[in-house]
Amino acid sequence: MLCLSLAITLLSFTTAFAVSGYYQVSLPWFKQDIVVMSGSKVYNDDYVLNRVDYVGAQYDAADFWVVRQDGSRISDNYACYEGQGIYTISFNVDERAGTFIMLYAQNHDITYVSVTMSGYADLR
């Protein structure tokens, strides 16, 4: 009975979790765009956090920006360099919780090959 009461109590609490996690993508050649992560915002924060852990070959950075579901950009491009910590990608507009957003990226340099990149992002 105690276990059942505890389970019911735990299920009655709802907690909102931000869309965050590790990513690994292949940046297409010639600076083509790729979606790194997408999801609905949980908080009313007007920024995304991003950290680049690895960029393959001799490359060291990727450009990131945020787009609404309708395809409109809501941030400028931010060059995020490998191993330089967490970057804050600020929005140009006020976005509320529940808005579906996408974090886009492309290689910072023009390449003739695809380049593997990994890191961590928090869409807030």
Side-chain angles (χ1 to χ4, degrees), residues 5 13 37 42 46-47 51 101 103:
S5 297
F13 291 102
M37 187 178 288
V42 175
D46 290 328
Y47 61 89
R51 182 185 72 224
I101 60 172
L103 179 63

PDB file of all heavy atoms in Angstrom, residues 5 13 37 42 46-47 51 101 103:
ATOM      1  N   SER A   5       0.919   4.263  -2.827  1.00  0.00           N
ATOM      2  CA  SER A   5       0.749   5.673  -2.476  1.00  0.00           C
ATOM      3  C   SER A   5       1.924   6.506  -2.979  1.00  0.00           C
ATOM      4  O   SER A   5       1.748   7.609  -3.492  1.00  0.00           O
ATOM      5  CB  SER A   5       0.621   5.852  -0.963  1.00  0.00           C
ATOM      6  OG  SER A   5      -0.529   5.209  -0.487  1.00  0.00           O
ATOM      7  N   PHE A  13       3.150  14.632  -9.883  1.00  0.00           N
ATOM      8  CA  PHE A  13       4.028  15.767 -10.137  1.00  0.00           C
ATOM      9  C   PHE A  13       4.468  15.741 -11.596  1.00  0.00           C
ATOM     10  O   PHE A  13       4.872  14.715 -12.116  1.00  0.00           O
ATOM     11  CB  PHE A  13       5.279  15.712  -9.247  1.00  0.00           C
ATOM     12  CG  PHE A  13       4.996  15.957  -7.800  1.00  0.00           C
ATOM     13  CD1 PHE A  13       4.946  14.913  -6.903  1.00  0.00           C
ATOM     14  CD2 PHE A  13       4.763  17.246  -7.340  1.00  0.00           C
ATOM     15  CE1 PHE A  13       4.682  15.132  -5.571  1.00  0.00           C
ATOM     16  CE2 PHE A  13       4.502  17.473  -6.013  1.00  0.00           C
ATOM     17  CZ  PHE A  13       4.456  16.420  -5.122  1.00  0.00           C
ATOM     18  N   MET A  37      19.576  20.008 -33.864  1.00  0.00           N
ATOM     19  CA  MET A  37      18.629  19.612 -32.826  1.00  0.00           C
ATOM     20  C   MET A  37      17.357  20.445 -33.003  1.00  0.00           C
ATOM     21  O   MET A  37      17.425  21.576 -33.473  1.00  0.00           O
ATOM     22  CB  MET A  37      19.228  19.860 -31.437  1.00  0.00           C
ATOM     23  CG  MET A  37      18.398  19.331 -30.286  1.00  0.00           C
ATOM     24  SD  MET A  37      19.211  19.610 -28.677  1.00  0.00           S
ATOM     25  CE  MET A  37      20.531  18.414 -28.771  1.00  0.00           C
ATOM     26  N   VAL A  42      10.880  24.992 -23.552  1.00  0.00           N
ATOM     27  CA  VAL A  42      10.219  24.763 -22.275  1.00  0.00           C
ATOM     28  C   VAL A  42      10.170  26.054 -21.463  1.00  0.00           C
ATOM     29  O   VAL A  42       9.208  26.320 -20.750  1.00  0.00           O
ATOM     30  CB  VAL A  42      10.933  23.645 -21.481  1.00  0.00           C
ATOM     31  CG1 VAL A  42      10.337  23.482 -20.105  1.00  0.00           C
ATOM     32  CG2 VAL A  42      10.853  22.338 -22.251  1.00  0.00           C
ATOM     33  N   ASP A  46      15.216  33.614 -24.160  1.00  0.00           N
ATOM     34  CA  ASP A  46      15.398  33.995 -25.560  1.00  0.00           C
ATOM     35  C   ASP A  46      16.813  33.705 -26.029  1.00  0.00           C
ATOM     36  O   ASP A  46      17.497  34.552 -26.613  1.00  0.00           O
ATOM     37  CB  ASP A  46      15.058  35.478 -25.750  1.00  0.00           C
ATOM     38  CG  ASP A  46      13.573  35.739 -25.595  1.00  0.00           C
ATOM     39  OD1 ASP A  46      12.769  34.847 -25.948  1.00  0.00           O
ATOM     40  OD2 ASP A  46      13.208  36.821 -25.124  1.00  0.00           O
ATOM     41  N   TYR A  47      17.254  32.491 -25.776  1.00  0.00           N
ATOM     42  CA  TYR A  47      18.577  32.060 -26.218  1.00  0.00           C
ATOM     43  C   TYR A  47      18.663  30.541 -26.202  1.00  0.00           C
ATOM     44  O   TYR A  47      17.823  29.856 -25.622  1.00  0.00           O
ATOM     45  CB  TYR A  47      19.688  32.649 -25.338  1.00  0.00           C
ATOM     46  CG  TYR A  47      19.606  32.250 -23.888  1.00  0.00           C
ATOM     47  CD1 TYR A  47      20.226  31.092 -23.427  1.00  0.00           C
ATOM     48  CD2 TYR A  47      18.901  33.023 -22.976  1.00  0.00           C
ATOM     49  CE1 TYR A  47      20.145  30.722 -22.100  1.00  0.00           C
ATOM     50  CE2 TYR A  47      18.823  32.654 -21.647  1.00  0.00           C
ATOM     51  CZ  TYR A  47      19.447  31.510 -21.210  1.00  0.00           C
ATOM     52  OH  TYR A  47      19.359  31.134 -19.892  1.00  0.00           O
ATOM     53  N   ARG A  51      27.647  23.995 -27.281  1.00  0.00           N
ATOM     54  CA  ARG A  51      29.074  23.736 -27.075  1.00  0.00           C
ATOM     55  C   ARG A  51      29.540  22.772 -28.155  1.00  0.00           C
ATOM     56  O   ARG A  51      28.934  21.719 -28.358  1.00  0.00           O
ATOM     57  CB  ARG A  51      29.290  23.109 -25.694  1.00  0.00           C
ATOM     58  CG  ARG A  51      30.757  22.849 -25.365  1.00  0.00           C
ATOM     59  CD  ARG A  51      30.923  22.116 -24.054  1.00  0.00           C
ATOM     60  NE  ARG A  51      30.499  20.719 -24.221  1.00  0.00           N
ATOM     61  CZ  ARG A  51      29.746  20.060 -23.348  1.00  0.00           C
ATOM     62  NH1 ARG A  51      29.310  20.621 -22.258  1.00  0.00           N
ATOM     63  NH2 ARG A  51      29.419  18.802 -23.580  1.00  0.00           N
ATOM     64  N   ILE A 101      11.456  25.179 -32.184  1.00  0.00           N
ATOM     65  CA  ILE A 101      12.627  25.793 -32.809  1.00  0.00           C
ATOM     66  C   ILE A 101      13.587  24.714 -33.301  1.00  0.00           C
ATOM     67  O   ILE A 101      13.531  23.568 -32.855  1.00  0.00           O
ATOM     68  CB  ILE A 101      13.353  26.759 -31.846  1.00  0.00           C
ATOM     69  CG1 ILE A 101      13.834  26.025 -30.588  1.00  0.00           C
ATOM     70  CG2 ILE A 101      12.491  27.954 -31.510  1.00  0.00           C
ATOM     71  CD1 ILE A 101      14.713  26.865 -29.680  1.00  0.00           C
ATOM     72  N   LEU A 103      17.836  24.213 -34.213  1.00  0.00           N
ATOM     73  CA  LEU A 103      19.207  24.696 -34.199  1.00  0.00           C
ATOM     74  C   LEU A 103      19.888  24.195 -35.467  1.00  0.00           C
ATOM     75  O   LEU A 103      20.019  22.992 -35.669  1.00  0.00           O
ATOM     76  CB  LEU A 103      19.943  24.197 -32.952  1.00  0.00           C
ATOM     77  CG  LEU A 103      21.408  24.600 -32.823  1.00  0.00           C
ATOM     78  CD1 LEU A 103      21.552  26.115 -32.709  1.00  0.00           C
ATOM     79  CD2 LEU A 103      22.035  23.906 -31.614  1.00  0.00           C
TER      80      LEU A 103
END
